[in-house]
């Protein structure tokens, strides 16, 4: 069985552990800085095994030694933005956490593929790649799978059709500047631009862009974790089963889409070694402009890392 480590046993991490165990994608190790939390949640998930009929082993730990030999490491450790906290405050705190976590991954799981989830996602993925020193194809982030899942959900609700037939594409940074691409979003192969008026598409695009905030507003405390953990599970599955799925992923660009030394959401081929290739879509001038704007936002976030102490 592949060994899958999840760092951060919070809402996203523990639900991802549950989904991964239920699908028997591998044995799971869950870690956290809080003592007892990963152990308690891991034992609870393990005890559901006989009831649901899965054989994955799952342990919780506070010791990084236990992640040795991991094939995949998922980083969900971090804090969420709290009222009164600026984006800069969040960036500073999570950069420190991701740096610490990544140093331990480098030391204890030097051959792993790393999937980041912590926000601000594109910047945290950059920090993890730089800190581990791993080849960029082995360090990538979960953003587009979730954003395109949300887009697909809203399209299905609008059309009253099955979500199964919808393939949605969302590029760019994971946030306000993401770039949903209606031209590359299809229902059984038919682009949605042929199925809905522009005004409807714009409404669904806006809802997708604000998808995370919509859930935060409803929950009042906490943020989304069911769909985020499902997105992580899809990506882990693509890696451990070497499926070579084409998914929108936060990937390191070195010239693709005219961008360099930046992480941005683009369609990639995912397999055992991580990102096996980046697909370059032919974008219209307007789509390109939106992607450029997104890249600028990520670039300025990366640039601000230098001023953190
Ligand atoms: N090492 C390990 N675990 C840590 C560390 C650390 N240095 N710092 C914090 N954690 C743990 C916390 O103890 C907590 O259990 O990370 C966990 C985060 O869990 P939640 O607060 O429940 O956050 P969650 O909703 O799971 O989101 C995690 O994913 O989607 C993103 O924006 C979200 O950045 C956030 C991350």
């Amino acid at each position: 069985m592949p060994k899958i480590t999840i760092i951060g046993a919070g809402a996203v991490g523990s639900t991802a552990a549950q989904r991964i165990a239920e699908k028997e994608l591998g044995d799971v190790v869950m870690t956290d800085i809080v003592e007892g939390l990963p152990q308690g949640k891991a034992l609870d998930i393990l005890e559901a095994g006989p009831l649901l009929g899965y054989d994955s082993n799952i342990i919780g730990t506070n010791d990084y030694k236990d992640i040795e030999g991991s094939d995949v490491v998922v980083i969900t450790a971090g804090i969420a933005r709290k009222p009164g906290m600026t984006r800069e405050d969040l960036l500073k705190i999570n950069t420190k956490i991701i740096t610490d976590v990544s140093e331990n991954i480098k030391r204890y799981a030097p051959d792993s593929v790393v999937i980041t989830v912590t926000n601000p996602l594109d910047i945290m993925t950059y920090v993890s790649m730089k800190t581990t020193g791993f080849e960029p194809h082995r360090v990538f982030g979960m953003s587009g799978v979730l954003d395109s899942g949300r887009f697909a959900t809203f399209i299905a609700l609008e059309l009253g059709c099955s979500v199964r037939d919808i393939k949605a594409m969302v590029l760019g940074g994971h946030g306000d500047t993401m770039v949903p691409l209606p031209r590359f979003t299809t229902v059984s192969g038919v682009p949605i631009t042929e199925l809905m008026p522009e005004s409807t598409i714009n409404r669904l695009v806006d809802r997708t862009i604000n998808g995370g905030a919509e859930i935060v507003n409803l929950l009042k405390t906490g943020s989304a974790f069911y769909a985020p953990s499902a997105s992580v599970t899809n990506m882990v599955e693509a890696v451990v089963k070497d499926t070579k799925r084409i998914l929108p992923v936060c990937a390191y660009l070195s010239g693709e889409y005219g961008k360099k030394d930046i992480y941005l959401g683009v369609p990639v081929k995912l397999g055992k070694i991580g990102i096996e290739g980046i697909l370059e879509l032919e974008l219209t001038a307007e789509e390109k402009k939106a992607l450029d704007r997104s890249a600028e936002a990520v670039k300025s976030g990366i640039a601000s890392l230098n001023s953190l102490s």
Side-chain angles (χ1 to χ4, degrees):
M1 281 260 225
K3 181 168 176 177
I4 301 156
T5 286
I6 299 187
I7 301 179
V12 177
S14 59
T15 315
Q18 176 195 351
R19 295 191 190 285
I20 288 165
E22 285 177 4
K23 291 188 84 144
E24 293 186 316
L25 296 181
D27 290 328
V28 181
V29 175
M30 200 165 31
T31 75
D32 202 284
I33 37 160
V34 179
E35 282 187 25
L37 180 75
Q39 290 88 341
K41 288 191 173 181
L43 184 59
D44 200 6
I45 297 170
L46 189 70
E47 289 168 357
L51 307 171
L52 294 177
Y54 54 80
D55 271 318
S56 290
N57 189 34
I58 164 152
I59 63 155
T61 177
N62 304 111
D63 186 351
Y64 274 106
K65 211 171 175 320
D66 293 323
I67 80 166
E68 270 178 355
S70 296
D71 298 288
V72 181
V73 179
V74 180
I75 307 178
T76 70
I79 61 149
R81 199 164 143 201
K82 302 193 176 78
M85 192 185 266
T86 65
R87 276 177 201 273
E88 286 67 37
D89 294 337
L90 179 76
L91 184 68
K92 201 167 173 176
I93 295 168
N94 280 352
T95 297
K96 211 164 165 290
I97 292 173
I98 298 306
T99 303
D100 171 58
V101 164
S102 301
E103 277 165 0
N104 281 296
I105 295 172
K106 179 183 183 174
R107 178 161 175 210
Y108 292 103
D111 299 321
S112 59
V113 164
V114 178
I115 304 176
T116 56
V117 182
T118 307
N119 279 314
L121 193 268
D122 309 88
I123 304 167
M124 293 305 106
T125 313
Y126 186 90
V127 170
S128 184
M129 188 273 281
K130 289 288 176 192
T131 309
T132 55
F134 291 179
E135 305 93 318
H137 69 81
R138 278 206 281 150
V139 185
F140 47 91
M142 188 289 287
S143 52
V145 173
L146 172 61
D147 298 327
S148 61
R150 285 182 173 145
F151 196 18
T153 304
F154 303 145
I155 293 164
L157 287 174
E158 187 69 29
L159 295 175
C161 72
S162 167
V163 290
R164 287 167 190 267
D165 298 321
I166 302 176
K167 298 277 178 243
M169 182 56 74
V170 177
L171 303 189
H174 188 48
D176 308 342
T177 62
M178 76 176 74
V179 188
L181 289 181
R183 281 194 318 126
F184 294 99
T185 297
T186 61
V187 182
S188 275
V190 183
I192 59 164
T193 44
E194 291 179 25
L195 297 170
M196 296 180 210
E198 202 181 331
S199 56
T200 306
I201 292 175
N202 289 343
R203 179 164 48 80
L204 304 186
V205 162
D206 282 349
R207 192 171 177 194
T208 302
I209 292 171
N210 296 306
E214 184 177 359
I215 305 255
V216 169
N217 289 337
L218 288 166
L219 294 178
K220 310 271 190 313
T221 57
S223 49
F225 59 97
Y226 291 113
S229 59
S231 308
V232 167
T233 307
N234 275 4
M235 291 170 70
V236 169
E237 182 173 39
V239 174
V240 296
K241 291 191 178 168
D242 197 22
T243 58
K244 326 239 186 245
R245 284 195 68 188
I246 309 292
L247 297 170
V249 162
C250 172
Y252 185 75
L253 302 183
S254 37
E256 298 88 354
Y257 292 89
K259 318 262 177 269
K260 269 194 182 139
D261 197 34
I262 185 175
Y263 269 92
L264 210 57
V266 291
V268 309
K269 191 199 279 179
L270 266 196
K272 196 138 204 100
I273 64 155
I275 292 177
E276 300 200 345
I278 293 175
L279 269 76
E280 285 200 68
L281 303 173
E282 195 78 42
L283 301 181
T284 63
E286 203 181 328
E287 290 162 348
K288 205 178 158 306
K289 216 170 116 199
L291 192 65
D292 287 347
R293 201 164 69 89
S294 199
E296 280 314 309
V298 176
K299 272 270 183 212
S300 73
I302 290 173
S304 72
L305 287 172
N306 298 327
S307 59
L308 299 180
S309 54

